[in-house]
Amino acid sequence: MTHTREDVGFTSGTDRCAAWLYRPDADETTDTASDRPIVVLGHGLGAVKEMRLDAFAERFVDAGYAALVFDYRHFGASEGSPRQLLDIKKQRADWHAAIDHARSLPGIDPDRVAIFGSSFGGGHVLAVAAEDHRIAAVISQCPFTDGIASSKIQGLGASMRLSVLAVRDLVAAVTHRSRVLVPLAGHPGETALMNAPDVMDGYLGIVPDGMEFSNAVTASFGLSVPLERPGRRVRDITAPVLFGVCDNDTVAPAGPTLKYAAQARRGTVKRYPVGHFDIYVGEPFEQAIADYVDFLDEQLAV
């Protein structure tokens, strides 16, 4: 199915979030167009919509769904100062603002809004769906569900150095100085939020060629990671949830996610024998997106 993509935006807090709105061509906002379901897509740790979210959105649109893909405040094409500020509460507020915007669109059924989050965004969608019981379906891909489990992967030395940088960044924020940044992706042993062996090639590998990308976020976020456990919210979700779990995940370990998924009221688990970043490309992507479309067709019925 052919489609159109439009650059759009919506307000979250006092800033504008940049987004892409996809519609099947038949939907070009005519009075006779039936109200379609829509999938709202958000990315993971420091990532932006150009990093393969377009590929997922296009497949959803091919299956007859509309799609809204957005960048969090402080990242990508969205507004927000300072740049590269990763704030969990703000990002979840961005999710709610994106969902509200999707529900307001002409030709969209406001009661058939699904949300798709990957990696850190996979944790966000669990928390957001636990708060918004109007959500019709949730897809949580290779989700960050347990901060303690993810922090252990960094290694003690890197975790301690990250903590020092995080405190320095907090002081900089209070004293209105330039913020202290820390790499998102690094090699094993390096001070970075993600430093498993497959991170550098995997994470930076989904950045399009020629696109300017900042491999850094404000360091104070590092203090939030061990405390964040969005998997605990699954019991409060009333919508059906599909957990796309990567068995060899070095960033968001599969074990805790599977335990949380077992607690979901209407949970479905799909497991893939790949690493965290493999699911974005190639055959793992093809298998996953086919499963996701089947799940949406079952829950939302285009």
Side-chain angles (χ1 to χ4, degrees):
M1 181 181 291
T2 58
H3 63 267
T4 58
R5 190 181 89 180
E6 178 185 1
D7 290 330
V8 299
F10 55 89
T11 300
S12 183
T14 58
D15 296 312
R16 180 181 182 274
C17 286
W20 292 328
L21 175 62
Y22 292 79
R23 290 181 186 269
D25 279 347
D27 267 13
E28 291 181 328
T29 319
T30 64
D31 292 337
T32 58
S34 60
D35 289 349
R36 287 187 181 269
I38 188 169
V39 186
V40 179
L41 298 89
H43 222 317
L45 205 63
V48 294
K49 57 187 184 298
E50 289 84 356
M51 294 166 67
R52 293 290 293 172
L53 283 191
D54 50 350
F56 288 92
E58 288 169 1
R59 293 301 185 86
F60 291 141
V61 178
D62 287 345
Y65 300 89
L68 181 71
V69 186
F70 72 96
D71 281 337
Y72 300 110
R73 282 177 284 175
H74 306 278
F75 291 91
S78 292
E79 296 177 345
S81 181
R83 302 306 294 169
Q84 305 304 114
L85 173 67
L86 209 166
D87 183 292
I88 293 172
K89 288 184 179 180
K90 279 192 170 186
Q91 291 199 346
R92 291 193 181 148
D94 296 344
W95 269 102
H96 286 293
I99 292 164
D100 288 344
H101 180 69
R103 287 177 175 144
S104 73
L105 292 169
I108 296 301
D109 184 343
D111 291 316
R112 288 194 294 167
V113 175
I115 53 179
F116 169 98
S118 189
S119 192
F120 205 71
H124 283 329
V125 293
L126 300 178
V128 168
E131 297 164 354
D132 184 349
H133 292 172
R134 197 178 174 191
I135 294 296
V138 182
I139 300 173
S140 181
Q141 174 176 274
C142 55
F144 168 91
T145 56
D146 191 290
I148 293 176
S150 292
S151 295
K152 288 179 179 178
I153 297 172
Q154 289 177 330
L156 181 59
S159 294
M160 293 178 65
R161 293 191 296 273
L162 180 59
S163 296
V164 172
L165 293 174
V167 172
R168 286 177 52 196
D169 183 43
L170 286 176
V171 172
V174 172
T175 57
H176 304 288
R177 298 177 182 176
S178 296
R179 299 296 293 267
V180 177
L181 300 180
V182 64
L184 284 155
H187 295 288
E190 291 183 344
T191 305
L193 292 176
M194 299 179 289
N195 62 3
D198 61 338
V199 165
M200 287 295 285
D201 289 342
Y203 185 74
L204 299 182
I206 60 174
V207 178
D209 291 340
M211 189 186 88
E212 185 176 340
F213 176 73
S214 178
N215 178 32
V217 293
T218 46
S220 56
F221 170 73
L223 297 177
S224 304
V225 174
L227 304 176
E228 187 60 26
R229 304 176 80 177
R232 290 183 168 183
R233 304 298 304 276
V234 299
R235 294 179 179 178
D236 299 324
I237 301 173
T238 56
V241 184
L242 175 60
F243 297 87
V245 180
C246 298
D247 286 336
N248 304 324
D249 202 317
T250 60
V251 174
T257 296
L258 293 172
K259 291 179 181 178
Y260 289 126
Q263 301 171 17
R265 301 185 195 185
R266 303 170 65 188
T268 299
V269 174
K270 292 291 184 179
R271 298 178 65 169
Y272 308 99
V274 299
H276 187 83
F277 302 101
D278 297 323
I279 202 165
Y280 292 98
V281 296
E283 183 56 35
F285 164 78
E286 296 294 342
Q287 181 59 62
I289 193 64
D291 290 339
Y292 302 161
V293 169
D294 287 346
F295 171 74
L296 291 178
D297 287 347
E298 181 180 348
Q299 303 301 333
L300 302 184
V302 174

